[in-house]
Amino acid sequence: MIQLKQITKSFGSHRILKGIDLQVEDGQTLAIIGPSGSGKSTLLRCLNLLEKPDGGIVQIGAHRYDSSHITKEEMLEFRRATAMVFQGFNLFANQSVINNIILPLRVRKKCDKEKGREIALRLLKQVGLADKADAYPSQLSGGQQQRVAIARALALQPEVILFDEPTSALDPELVNGVLDVIRSIRSETMIKIIVTHEMSFARDAADAVIFLEDGQIIEQGSAHEVFDHPKQERTKKFLQNFQRA
Ligand SMILES: Nc1ncnc2c1ncn2[C@@H]1O[C@H](COP(=O)(O)OP(=O)(O)OP(=O)(O)O)[C@@H](O)[C@H]1O
Ligand SMILES: [Mg+2]
C-alpha cells in the first residue's frame, strides 16, 4: 500500500505541491490527470524520492519516508521499492536491448549473468520484443524503446511502477502498442501509477483517478466517478477540453 500524508514541495518560493493526501491499495492502478504545470511529474518524482518532499510522509509498503529524518540507507531501500518509466525512455544508448535490462538487475538485484539473461528474455517476450534482444536502442522505434523501458522496470520487481506520460513522445500509431503492454501487466501486489493525457486509457485501465490542479487534488474517485460524474466544475471543464480535442 502507498500512503501519502500532507506532501508539500516548493522550488524556491514557488509552492508546487500543497499538501497531498493519498492512499493506493496493493495491485491497484492509479491515473494522475491534470493540466500542464499542475505538479503531476513532481508528485510522481516525490514517490521515488527523485525529488525530496519538503514536508509530509510517504509510505510504500514497509518503507517510510519522513521529511524530517531519513538515513542514506533508508533512502536507497525506498528507491529500490520503485521503478520509473520516463516519457523519453532513458535507455542506455551504448548497450544492447538485453543489456539494458540485465545491467540494472545485476546492480540492484545482484543477479548473476545467467539469471539476468533468463529474466530479461522472458520480459522481452512479454513485451513482444524477443527478436530485438541484441539490437541497440537507436535501431528501435520509439514504441519499441518504451516497451524495453517497461521490461527493464518490471525486471526489478518493484512494489510500485511509475509512468510519467509514457506515450506522449510517440507517434500516434505507436501509442496503443505501449498502452496495451501497460494494461497487460498483471500483478496482485504491484501498484501502477501513471501520469497520462490518454483519457480513454485512464478510464478503462485505472482503478482510481486523481485530478491535480495547482498542486492540489481537486477530485478523486474511481475512473467511473471522475470521468462520468465529476463533481467539481474544474474537473468538468478539464475533461470537456479533452472531449473536444
Ligand atoms: N526542478 C525544478 N525546479 C524548478 N521548478 C520546477 C522544477 N520541476 C518542476 N518545476 C515547476 O513546478 C511546476 C510543476 O511542474 P511539473 O513538471 O510537476 O508539472 P506537470 O503537471 O508534470 O506538467 P506537464 O503536464 O507539463 O508535464 C511547474 O511550474 C514547473 O515549472
Ligand atoms: Mg509532467
Side-chain angles (χ1 to χ4, degrees), residues 179-210:
L179 293 180
D180 285 345
V181 165
I182 296 173
R183 249 191 223 103
S184 74
I185 301 169
R186 297 265 174 263
S187 167
E188 295 277 309
T189 53
M190 195 191 297
I191 292 174
K192 291 186 268 178
I193 301 190
I194 175 163
V195 173
T196 186
H197 291 292
E198 297 289 334
M199 295 301 152
S200 57
F201 169 76
R203 183 199 291 261
D204 68 41
D207 302 294
V209 178
I210 63 175

Side-chain angles (χ1 to χ4, degrees), residues 63 73 75-83 107-110 156-159:
H63 313 282
E73 197 46 46
M75 190 128 132
L76 273 177
E77 281 296 313
F78 195 99
R79 287 228 172 97
R80 288 197 188 110
T82 68
V107 174
R108 283 226 329 216
K109 295 273 178 190
K110 310 283 175 244
L156 299 172
Q157 296 183 294
E159 292 174 45

Side-chain angles (χ1 to χ4, degrees), residues 103-119:
L103 293 176
L105 261 176
R106 297 197 66 187
V107 174
R108 283 226 329 216
K109 295 273 178 190
K110 310 283 175 244
C111 245
D112 65 35
K113 245 186 193 160
E114 274 311 296
K115 182 78 185 156
R117 202 177 162 76
E118 188 188 314
I119 294 172

Side-chain angles (χ1 to χ4, degrees), residues 4 9 24 38 53 57 85 90 95 98 112 130 132 135-136 143 146 148 151 153 164-165 167 193 214 244:
L4 303 185
K9 178 74 188 171
V24 192
S38 56
I57 291 168
V85 175
N90 295 17
Q95 295 288 342
I98 193 157
D112 65 35
K132 300 288 186 193
Y136 281 78
Q146 193 59 301
V148 174
D164 193 356
E165 300 199 40
T167 60
I193 301 190
D214 198 19
R244 259 190 258 122

